[in-house]
Amino acid sequence: MDVADDGGTRPPEVTMVRLNPYLNFKGEAREALEFYRSALGGEVEIMTYGSMPGMSDDPAEQDLVMHGQLETEHGLVLMAADTPSSMPDATPTTGVTVALTGSEADLDYVRTAVTALSAGATDVLPFEKAPWGDHFGQLTDRYGVPWMFDVGPA
């Protein structure tokens, strides 16, 4: 423990490490982030390639998202970017599923998110009571991003 200015002790600072999904797109990052904002709530912040000198010399790519972030009131953080032409081997996000989970207190929020994310989705497994007791569902959203939803007891 550190010694406080008044001679007492104070607990060590708590830092929080976070693991956040970071999705890659080919020109759809801004649209996708706004779609996710409409489904999950929160605020979107976007930096474009044009706002960062030297990041892209292609005039057609100046408005593409170099880094975008959605942060919700619930503490969810979803990040995204567009892949510029200078990175031709980069592909949109594949092989990753974004999981939105919670406890019974979150059921209405998750159900509302599932409904919103279902617009234009494929491979939909309805969000409903599963044999193990949780509410569970899956889908691939209109941008090709797989999602899984699970709400169980606290």
Side-chain angles (χ1 to χ4, degrees):
M1 294 218 151
D2 284 342
V3 177
D5 293 336
D6 64 3
T9 59
R10 63 178 165 235
E13 278 190 39
V14 176
T15 59
M16 188 167 90
V17 176
R18 295 170 59 158
L19 180 66
N20 300 310
Y22 204 113
L23 307 174
N24 293 309
F25 296 92
K26 290 263 189 198
E28 297 177 311
R30 181 184 306 270
E31 179 183 316
L33 283 167
E34 286 299 331
F35 176 67
Y36 299 144
R37 184 200 53 74
S38 72
L40 302 170
E43 298 294 325
V44 172
E45 292 183 19
I46 291 178
M47 278 190 292
T48 63
Y49 284 98
S51 70
M52 300 296 292
M55 292 306 296
S56 176
D57 295 328
D58 185 343
E61 294 182 342
Q62 298 303 296
D63 288 333
L64 291 180
V65 176
M66 185 187 84
H67 173 75
Q69 181 169 312
L70 168 65
E71 190 161 354
T72 75
E73 302 83 35
H74 299 284
L76 306 175
V77 177
L78 185 64
M79 299 177 190
D82 287 313
T83 303
S85 60
S86 62
M87 299 173 69
D89 294 336
T91 58
T93 302
T94 58
V96 174
T97 299
V98 178
L100 180 60
T101 63
S103 68
E104 291 170 352
D106 305 307
L107 182 59
D108 289 339
Y109 175 76
V110 174
R111 182 178 282 129
T112 299
V114 170
T115 300
L117 291 166
S118 294
T122 60
D123 304 321
V124 176
L125 176 65
F127 183 67
E128 56 192 20
K129 194 86 158 181
W132 59 90
D134 292 5
H135 281 79
F136 181 83
Q138 307 182 149
L139 58 83
T140 300
D141 72 25
R142 65 173 70 172
Y143 301 100
V145 176
W147 288 76
M148 179 175 60
F149 310 94
D150 186 90
V151 171

